[in-house]
Amino acid sequence: PEMQNIKTQYDIGEFIENHRPENIAKALSKVLNKGRKSYLEVLEKAAQDLCWENEEAKIIQLFQKASL
């Protein structure tokens, strides 16, 4: 579910139905056809949003609440 959320939010990558070679090849072709440049901006945004430093404070608060 989390990977689906990231794909939906940032429109990054492709999902495959199953691990059959033809489905993997189809997804890879879509990504390669879209091109590296089309992903760069959104990948940088996702990296900034999803970095550990942004999640650290949330996790610390969660542990503090759990220890009360």
Side-chain angles (χ1 to χ4, degrees), residues 21-40:
E22 58 271 16
N23 291 328
I24 295 170
K26 190 163 80 172
L28 283 172
S29 291
K30 285 181 182 179
V31 169
L32 292 174
N33 287 334
K34 192 169 181 180
R36 183 176 181 261
K37 287 184 180 181
S38 66
Y39 284 109
L40 283 178

Side-chain angles (χ1 to χ4, degrees), residues 31-59:
V31 169
L32 292 174
N33 287 334
K34 192 169 181 180
R36 183 176 181 261
K37 287 184 180 181
S38 66
Y39 284 109
L40 283 178
E41 187 175 323
V42 72
L43 285 172
E44 288 177 10
K45 172 78 172 124
Q48 289 174 2
D49 293 348
L50 303 171
C51 71
W52 167 249
E53 289 80 8
N54 292 341
E55 299 301 315
E56 180 181 21
K58 295 175 192 175
I59 292 173

